[in-house]
Amino acid sequence: MPASPSTARAINDRLALRLLQQEGPLTAGRLKQLTGLSRPTVADLVERLTASGLIEVVGESGEQRRGPNAKLYGIVAERAQLAALDVRTEGVAVVVSDLLGRVLAEASVPIDDDAGTGPAVEQAVTLVERAAKEAGADRLHTVGIGTPGLIDPASGELRDSSGLPAWHRRLVAALQERLPEARFSVENETNLAALAEQRDGAARDRDTFVLLWLGMGIGAALVLDGALRRGASGGAGEIGFLPVPGTAGLPSATGCDGGFHSLAAAGAIAALAAEHGVTATAAAHEPHAAALVRAAVRRTAVVREASGGVRREVPAEGGPAASRTYPDPAIPRTRPDPAADRFLDVLADRVALGAAAVVSVLDPGCVVLAGEIGRAGGDTLARRVQDRLARLSPLPTEVRPSALGGGAVLRGALLTARDRAQDDLFAPRRTS
């Protein structure tokens, strides 16, 4: 059945708003071209959206034309302020932005292991309130929260987990009490990192991929046909429990020791580095294993004389002299550290075991290595894992490092908050 006039108007308004979000300010003429709508229809929707306070004139087009320049319309970024939180076991980071995602304030606070539940929650809530005040936000429209652990798909709440601090579960309730007008969205950190990589990072060109999170724990996020898949209980991607060769036992329903976690999580990697004599100074607020992997990557790099060589003319038989570049003896060369090289090889073997199991079931075509250890390994670890996958599986799979670094979870939380706020603000209003 054809849409009613009110439904058609709502569809056209949402289309125009999405285009303004993606493309930035546009003229009415450009909106007509991009939407395929008639000039009167575009004029009507521009008038409606302006009257509702969703768009405004932000300038004029620079085109040379007869008469006045065309007006440029853009989304009113100040219509709503948003917040995103990255909740870690050791602290909280927060970003406050406008409706277009422009950052207005950001802050973080470490939370000690021995801090009580109440003081830890108060530190985190105070941080959010202070950031909102710094951003000039009288109220927050939507708050996106990224956290370790399982999210119940029915309630959207963080499920009980013995591996997480008690203040994690209390935090959301405390924020809801202090920010009663805000809408809240809670999502697993690995899933948010995958959404960020899909929109702005390493998987921008992929509709189907798997993000493998390598950090204190192990996890995966599954994006299939453009959609994030959470599973029936919210546990899709809990590959720390995956039984794999090379462990001393098997995982259980209450613990992932003996599963893939025992091979590729931070503790196992630190022990592997010690076996190979790889050492590094621990960096603040990241697993020591990440510093060890980063140090190993540096030690396996070879200095090549790209432009520092000596060019010499070499006679050629029956033709002109050829020009060749020889290494400049004045430029020192380094050789890969064999121990670091072996450490990265074994680490890649381990990561590839878990990745191969996921690939054999989902055939994603692409695996993104994220988390503190995935980022530390970068291209070097990604190449080695890809080589091993090619031997373990007949399914062609590209392995890429994260492109967003340590900000992937926070970026994913902000994107989720922005999408949900826009869904609410851009929704058609019922008229009596």
Side-chain angles (χ1 to χ4, degrees):
M1 295 178 63
S4 66
S6 61
T7 301
R9 286 194 295 269
I11 293 171
N12 293 339
D13 290 354
R14 290 290 293 268
L15 175 59
L17 287 164
R18 288 300 180 192
L19 286 170
L20 289 168
Q21 174 197 343
Q22 296 166 6
E23 304 290 333
L26 298 169
T27 64
R30 184 60 177 150
L31 277 171
K32 175 182 177 298
Q33 293 175 344
L34 293 174
T35 61
L37 300 173
S38 68
R39 189 178 302 276
T41 300
V42 170
D44 286 344
L45 73 83
V46 166
E47 183 178 353
R48 277 196 307 275
L49 295 175
T50 302
S52 66
L54 288 173
I55 69 172
E56 62 184 351
V57 177
V58 296
E60 295 181 343
S61 67
E63 299 173 0
Q64 297 297 321
R65 53 189 297 163
R66 294 182 179 180
N69 288 336
K71 295 176 181 178
L72 280 169
Y73 295 93
I75 291 175
V76 179
E78 298 78 19
R79 180 66 184 273
Q81 283 77 40
L82 321 169
L85 279 74
D86 182 3
V87 181
R88 318 294 292 178
T89 55
E90 70 278 1
V92 176
V94 61
V95 165
V96 179
S97 82
D98 61 22
L99 187 57
L100 290 176
R102 292 190 293 246
V103 173
L104 305 175
E106 51 189 327
S108 62
V109 62
I111 296 178
D112 295 333
D113 292 337
D114 55 357
T117 299
V121 169
E122 183 60 29
Q123 277 185 278
V125 174
T126 301
L127 179 76
V128 176
E129 292 176 330
R130 188 169 65 244
K133 183 177 180 180
E134 181 184 338
D138 295 330
R139 62 177 292 265
L140 294 172
H141 184 282
T142 306
V143 179
I145 302 173
T147 179
L150 294 177
I151 310 299
D152 188 313
S155 66
E157 295 179 353
L158 183 65
R159 290 166 53 181
D160 286 322
S161 173
S162 59
L164 297 177
W167 63 268
H168 276 206
R169 296 196 76 250
R170 290 276 302 276
L171 176 58
V172 176
L175 285 168
Q176 289 172 331
E177 291 175 4
R178 298 270 276 269
L179 304 170
E181 295 180 333
R183 295 162 175 79
F184 287 85
S185 170
V186 184
E187 183 60 88
N188 173 266
E189 60 180 354
T190 306
N191 288 343
L192 289 177
L195 291 174
E197 296 287 355
Q198 181 188 28
R199 295 272 284 273
D200 298 329
R204 285 192 301 270
D205 60 335
R206 305 290 308 196
D207 287 330
T208 295
F209 70 98
V210 169
L211 181 135
L212 195 61
W213 183 275
L214 305 173
M216 291 299 295
I218 294 290
L222 320 177
V223 177
L224 308 177
D225 299 324
L228 180 68
R229 307 297 181 178
R230 297 176 177 84
S233 65
E238 284 294 312
I239 61 170
F241 289 87
L242 187 72
V244 291
T247 63
L250 290 172
S252 70
T254 58
C256 54
D257 290 340
F260 186 41
H261 176 93
S262 296
L263 286 186
I269 293 173
L272 180 66
E275 291 175 13
H276 288 81
V278 176
T279 60
T281 302
H285 308 306
E286 74 170 5
H288 184 209
L292 293 166
V293 172
R294 191 178 300 110
V297 168
R298 285 197 302 267
R299 293 172 194 171
T300 56
V302 179
V303 176
R304 294 182 175 88
E305 296 78 16
S307 60
V310 178
R311 296 192 67 79
R312 299 174 183 169
E313 298 296 320
V314 181
E317 295 183 6
S323 179
R324 296 180 183 173
T325 301
Y326 291 86
D328 187 340
I331 298 177
R333 299 190 68 183
T334 61
R335 292 184 178 180
D337 179 343
D341 198 51
R342 287 193 296 272
F343 163 66
L344 289 177
D345 276 343
V346 177
L347 175 58
D349 289 340
R350 293 184 175 191
V351 174
L353 278 178
V358 175
V359 166
S360 67
V361 174
L362 299 176
D363 186 18
C366 178
V367 173
V368 176
L369 301 185
E372 298 91 344
I373 293 160
R375 296 194 304 269
D379 286 317
T380 299
L381 181 60
R383 284 195 301 269
R384 294 181 189 222
V385 173
Q386 180 170 313
D387 289 344
R388 285 152 179 79
L389 273 179
R391 297 197 293 268
L392 289 171
S393 171
L395 307 176
T397 306
E398 185 178 1
V399 181
R400 303 174 180 177
S402 164
L404 297 178
V409 175
L410 207 54
R411 179 63 180 162
L414 186 58
L415 287 168
T416 300
R418 190 181 76 181
D419 287 348
R420 297 203 173 188
Q422 290 179 347
D423 283 344
D424 175 67
L425 293 169
F426 295 174
R429 302 302 180 202
R430 292 185 179 179
T431 57
S432 57

mmCIF file of all heavy atoms in Angstrom, residues 216-249:
data_model
loop_
_atom_site.group_PDB
_atom_site.id
_atom_site.type_symbol
_atom_site.label_atom_id
_atom_site.label_comp_id
_atom_site.label_asym_id
_atom_site.label_seq_id
_atom_site.Cartn_x
_atom_site.Cartn_y
_atom_site.Cartn_z
ATOM 1 N N MET A 216 43.732 -7.931 28.561
ATOM 2 C CA MET A 216 43.716 -8.710 29.803
ATOM 3 C C MET A 216 42.862 -9.958 29.622
ATOM 4 O O MET A 216 43.167 -11.011 30.172
ATOM 5 C CB MET A 216 43.158 -7.852 30.936
ATOM 6 C CG MET A 216 44.069 -6.707 31.340
ATOM 7 S SD MET A 216 45.690 -7.270 31.933
ATOM 8 C CE MET A 216 45.232 -8.148 33.419
ATOM 9 N N GLY A 217 41.811 -9.823 28.861
ATOM 10 C CA GLY A 217 40.983 -10.962 28.494
ATOM 11 C C GLY A 217 40.926 -11.101 26.985
ATOM 12 O O GLY A 217 41.536 -10.334 26.247
ATOM 13 N N ILE A 218 40.201 -12.087 26.533
ATOM 14 C CA ILE A 218 40.075 -12.385 25.106
ATOM 15 C C ILE A 218 38.598 -12.301 24.729
ATOM 16 O O ILE A 218 37.729 -12.786 25.451
ATOM 17 C CB ILE A 218 40.587 -13.812 24.800
ATOM 18 C CG1 ILE A 218 42.091 -13.901 25.046
ATOM 19 C CG2 ILE A 218 40.282 -14.198 23.357
ATOM 20 C CD1 ILE A 218 42.934 -13.146 24.059
ATOM 21 N N GLY A 219 38.320 -11.698 23.590
ATOM 22 C CA GLY A 219 36.947 -11.649 23.115
ATOM 23 C C GLY A 219 36.911 -11.397 21.627
ATOM 24 O O GLY A 219 37.929 -11.095 21.006
ATOM 25 N N ALA A 220 35.734 -11.525 21.066
ATOM 26 C CA ALA A 220 35.561 -11.249 19.644
ATOM 27 C C ALA A 220 34.227 -10.555 19.445
ATOM 28 O O ALA A 220 33.279 -10.743 20.210
ATOM 29 C CB ALA A 220 35.600 -12.538 18.819
ATOM 30 N N ALA A 221 34.170 -9.713 18.417
ATOM 31 C CA ALA A 221 32.922 -9.080 18.000
ATOM 32 C C ALA A 221 32.642 -9.519 16.576
ATOM 33 O O ALA A 221 33.551 -9.553 15.733
ATOM 34 C CB ALA A 221 33.023 -7.566 18.083
ATOM 35 N N LEU A 222 31.380 -9.849 16.304
ATOM 36 C CA LEU A 222 30.998 -10.403 15.009
ATOM 37 C C LEU A 222 30.109 -9.413 14.275
ATOM 38 O O LEU A 222 29.007 -9.097 14.740
ATOM 39 C CB LEU A 222 30.248 -11.728 15.197
ATOM 40 C CG LEU A 222 30.780 -12.682 16.283
ATOM 41 C CD1 LEU A 222 29.878 -13.901 16.393
ATOM 42 C CD2 LEU A 222 32.216 -13.070 15.992
ATOM 43 N N VAL A 223 30.581 -8.930 13.141
ATOM 44 C CA VAL A 223 29.777 -8.061 12.283
ATOM 45 C C VAL A 223 29.509 -8.834 10.999
ATOM 46 O O VAL A 223 30.440 -9.113 10.232
ATOM 47 C CB VAL A 223 30.490 -6.726 11.988
ATOM 48 C CG1 VAL A 223 29.659 -5.878 11.031
ATOM 49 C CG2 VAL A 223 30.740 -5.970 13.288
ATOM 50 N N LEU A 224 28.249 -9.209 10.787
ATOM 51 C CA LEU A 224 27.874 -10.023 9.636
ATOM 52 C C LEU A 224 26.842 -9.276 8.809
ATOM 53 O O LEU A 224 25.816 -8.842 9.347
ATOM 54 C CB LEU A 224 27.308 -11.367 10.094
ATOM 55 C CG LEU A 224 28.181 -12.168 11.088
ATOM 56 C CD1 LEU A 224 27.467 -13.446 11.501
ATOM 57 C CD2 LEU A 224 29.546 -12.472 10.488
ATOM 58 N N ASP A 225 27.133 -9.105 7.530
ATOM 59 C CA ASP A 225 26.231 -8.393 6.623
ATOM 60 C C ASP A 225 25.884 -7.010 7.166
ATOM 61 O O ASP A 225 24.745 -6.546 7.084
ATOM 62 C CB ASP A 225 24.950 -9.201 6.380
ATOM 63 C CG ASP A 225 25.243 -10.546 5.726
ATOM 64 O OD1 ASP A 225 26.158 -10.595 4.886
ATOM 65 O OD2 ASP A 225 24.561 -11.529 6.059
ATOM 66 N N GLY A 226 26.882 -6.354 7.739
ATOM 67 C CA GLY A 226 26.720 -4.983 8.209
ATOM 68 C C GLY A 226 26.122 -4.835 9.580
ATOM 69 O O GLY A 226 26.015 -3.717 10.086
ATOM 70 N N ALA A 227 25.700 -5.927 10.229
ATOM 71 C CA ALA A 227 25.043 -5.841 11.528
ATOM 72 C C ALA A 227 25.858 -6.545 12.604
ATOM 73 O O ALA A 227 26.416 -7.626 12.377
ATOM 74 C CB ALA A 227 23.643 -6.457 11.453
ATOM 75 N N LEU A 228 25.920 -5.936 13.775
ATOM 76 C CA LEU A 228 26.570 -6.553 14.919
ATOM 77 C C LEU A 228 25.710 -7.688 15.446
ATOM 78 O O LEU A 228 24.509 -7.519 15.665
ATOM 79 C CB LEU A 228 26.776 -5.499 16.018
ATOM 80 C CG LEU A 228 27.442 -5.966 17.305
ATOM 81 C CD1 LEU A 228 28.896 -6.328 17.042
ATOM 82 C CD2 LEU A 228 27.352 -4.879 18.371
ATOM 83 N N ARG A 229 26.316 -8.858 15.644
ATOM 84 C CA ARG A 229 25.581 -10.031 16.126
ATOM 85 C C ARG A 229 25.982 -10.317 17.570
ATOM 86 O O ARG A 229 27.151 -10.566 17.862
ATOM 87 C CB ARG A 229 25.877 -11.254 15.256
ATOM 88 C CG ARG A 229 25.663 -11.022 13.772
ATOM 89 C CD ARG A 229 24.210 -10.713 13.445
ATOM 90 N NE ARG A 229 24.022 -10.514 12.005
ATOM 91 C CZ ARG A 229 22.867 -10.264 11.437
ATOM 92 N NH1 ARG A 229 21.779 -10.158 12.170
ATOM 93 N NH2 ARG A 229 22.785 -10.094 10.121
ATOM 94 N N ARG A 230 24.988 -10.295 18.477
ATOM 95 C CA ARG A 230 25.269 -10.454 19.900
ATOM 96 C C ARG A 230 24.969 -11.857 20.418
ATOM 97 O O ARG A 230 25.444 -12.224 21.495
ATOM 98 C CB ARG A 230 24.464 -9.436 20.706
ATOM 99 C CG ARG A 230 24.830 -7.986 20.386
ATOM 100 C CD ARG A 230 23.929 -7.023 21.138
ATOM 101 N NE ARG A 230 24.296 -5.642 20.903
ATOM 102 C CZ ARG A 230 23.894 -4.921 19.870
ATOM 103 N NH1 ARG A 230 23.113 -5.476 18.941
ATOM 104 N NH2 ARG A 230 24.271 -3.662 19.736
ATOM 105 N N GLY A 231 24.175 -12.631 19.705
ATOM 106 C CA GLY A 231 23.827 -13.965 20.157
ATOM 107 C C GLY A 231 22.588 -13.968 21.030
ATOM 108 O O GLY A 231 22.105 -12.921 21.472
ATOM 109 N N ALA A 232 22.062 -15.156 21.312
ATOM 110 C CA ALA A 232 20.812 -15.300 22.055
ATOM 111 C C ALA A 232 20.913 -14.772 23.475
ATOM 112 O O ALA A 232 19.954 -14.224 24.021
ATOM 113 C CB ALA A 232 20.395 -16.773 22.070
ATOM 114 N N SER A 233 22.066 -14.932 24.116
ATOM 115 C CA SER A 233 22.233 -14.486 25.500
ATOM 116 C C SER A 233 23.191 -13.321 25.629
ATOM 117 O O SER A 233 23.561 -12.946 26.739
ATOM 118 C CB SER A 233 22.734 -15.655 26.360
ATOM 119 O OG SER A 233 24.038 -16.046 25.939
ATOM 120 N N GLY A 234 23.609 -12.755 24.486
ATOM 121 C CA GLY A 234 24.573 -11.661 24.525
ATOM 122 C C GLY A 234 26.009 -12.124 24.570
ATOM 123 O O GLY A 234 26.919 -11.312 24.710
ATOM 124 N N GLY A 235 26.235 -13.431 24.428
ATOM 125 C CA GLY A 235 27.579 -13.972 24.594
ATOM 126 C C GLY A 235 28.298 -14.327 23.311
ATOM 127 O O GLY A 235 29.342 -14.992 23.363
ATOM 128 N N ALA A 236 27.794 -13.919 22.158
ATOM 129 C CA ALA A 236 28.515 -14.210 20.910
ATOM 130 C C ALA A 236 29.898 -13.581 20.969
ATOM 131 O O ALA A 236 30.053 -12.412 21.308
ATOM 132 C CB ALA A 236 27.741 -13.665 19.720
ATOM 133 N N GLY A 237 30.917 -14.367 20.642
ATOM 134 C CA GLY A 237 32.282 -13.852 20.654
ATOM 135 C C GLY A 237 33.048 -14.128 21.926
ATOM 136 O O GLY A 237 34.185 -13.669 22.067
ATOM 137 N N GLU A 238 32.468 -14.888 22.870
ATOM 138 C CA GLU A 238 33.190 -15.205 24.110
ATOM 139 C C GLU A 238 34.205 -16.322 23.840
ATOM 140 O O GLU A 238 34.104 -17.436 24.371
ATOM 141 C CB GLU A 238 32.208 -15.614 25.203
ATOM 142 C CG GLU A 238 31.451 -14.464 25.810
ATOM 143 C CD GLU A 238 32.360 -13.520 26.565
ATOM 144 O OE1 GLU A 238 33.196 -13.978 27.371
ATOM 145 O OE2 GLU A 238 32.243 -12.290 26.341
ATOM 146 N N ILE A 239 35.189 -16.006 23.020
ATOM 147 C CA ILE A 239 36.110 -17.053 22.571
ATOM 148 C C ILE A 239 37.220 -17.331 23.575
ATOM 149 O O ILE A 239 38.056 -18.208 23.334
ATOM 150 C CB ILE A 239 36.722 -16.705 21.201
ATOM 151 C CG1 ILE A 239 37.517 -15.413 21.254
ATOM 152 C CG2 ILE A 239 35.642 -16.621 20.136
ATOM 153 C CD1 ILE A 239 38.317 -15.164 20.007
ATOM 154 N N GLY A 240 37.248 -16.618 24.693
ATOM 155 C CA GLY A 240 38.177 -17.010 25.748
ATOM 156 C C GLY A 240 37.892 -18.418 26.238
ATOM 157 O O GLY A 240 38.785 -19.119 26.722
ATOM 158 N N PHE A 241 36.625 -18.861 26.089
ATOM 159 C CA PHE A 241 36.216 -20.211 26.510
ATOM 160 C C PHE A 241 36.434 -21.260 25.417
ATOM 161 O O PHE A 241 36.134 -22.435 25.635
ATOM 162 C CB PHE A 241 34.728 -20.202 26.895
ATOM 163 C CG PHE A 241 34.439 -19.480 28.171
ATOM 164 C CD1 PHE A 241 34.210 -18.118 28.169
ATOM 165 C CD2 PHE A 241 34.399 -20.153 29.383
ATOM 166 C CE1 PHE A 241 33.930 -17.431 29.342
ATOM 167 C CE2 PHE A 241 34.128 -19.485 30.562
ATOM 168 C CZ PHE A 241 33.894 -18.115 30.553
ATOM 169 N N LEU A 242 36.934 -20.835 24.267
ATOM 170 C CA LEU A 242 37.088 -21.757 23.145
ATOM 171 C C LEU A 242 38.141 -22.823 23.454
ATOM 172 O O LEU A 242 39.289 -22.499 23.753
ATOM 173 C CB LEU A 242 37.514 -20.973 21.901
ATOM 174 C CG LEU A 242 37.578 -21.716 20.580
ATOM 175 C CD1 LEU A 242 36.175 -22.031 20.085
ATOM 176 C CD2 LEU A 242 38.311 -20.861 19.545
ATOM 177 N N PRO A 243 37.790 -24.121 23.403
ATOM 178 C CA PRO A 243 38.800 -25.168 23.597
ATOM 179 C C PRO A 243 39.772 -25.180 22.416
ATOM 180 O O PRO A 243 39.340 -25.223 21.258
ATOM 181 C CB PRO A 243 37.974 -26.460 23.655
ATOM 182 C CG PRO A 243 36.569 -26.024 23.911
ATOM 183 C CD PRO A 243 36.439 -24.684 23.259
ATOM 184 N N VAL A 244 41.044 -25.117 22.696
ATOM 185 C CA VAL A 244 42.063 -25.125 21.644
ATOM 186 C C VAL A 244 43.220 -26.016 22.074
ATOM 187 O O VAL A 244 43.406 -26.277 23.266
ATOM 188 C CB VAL A 244 42.603 -23.702 21.352
ATOM 189 C CG1 VAL A 244 41.537 -22.836 20.697
ATOM 190 C CG2 VAL A 244 43.103 -23.044 22.625
ATOM 191 N N PRO A 245 44.014 -26.509 21.115
ATOM 192 C CA PRO A 245 45.197 -27.300 21.474
ATOM 193 C C PRO A 245 46.217 -26.437 22.210
ATOM 194 O O PRO A 245 46.244 -25.219 22.060
ATOM 195 C CB PRO A 245 45.739 -27.766 20.123
ATOM 196 C CG PRO A 245 44.735 -27.398 19.107
ATOM 197 C CD PRO A 245 43.853 -26.369 19.676
ATOM 198 N N GLY A 246 47.047 -27.086 23.014
ATOM 199 C CA GLY A 246 48.165 -26.396 23.629
ATOM 200 C C GLY A 246 47.915 -25.928 25.046
ATOM 201 O O GLY A 246 48.800 -25.323 25.655
ATOM 202 N N THR A 247 46.728 -26.178 25.585
ATOM 203 C CA THR A 247 46.458 -25.793 26.969
ATOM 204 C C THR A 247 46.542 -27.020 27.873
ATOM 205 O O THR A 247 46.500 -28.152 27.414
ATOM 206 C CB THR A 247 45.064 -25.162 27.109
ATOM 207 O OG1 THR A 247 44.069 -26.124 26.764
ATOM 208 C CG2 THR A 247 44.932 -23.956 26.188
ATOM 209 N N ALA A 248 46.623 -26.735 29.177
ATOM 210 C CA ALA A 248 46.797 -27.835 30.124
ATOM 211 C C ALA A 248 45.487 -28.523 30.472
ATOM 212 O O ALA A 248 45.499 -29.568 31.121
ATOM 213 C CB ALA A 248 47.465 -27.317 31.395
ATOM 214 N N GLY A 249 44.365 -27.932 30.084
ATOM 215 C CA GLY A 249 43.084 -28.534 30.426
ATOM 216 C C GLY A 249 41.991 -28.027 29.518
ATOM 217 O O GLY A 249 42.244 -27.650 28.359
#
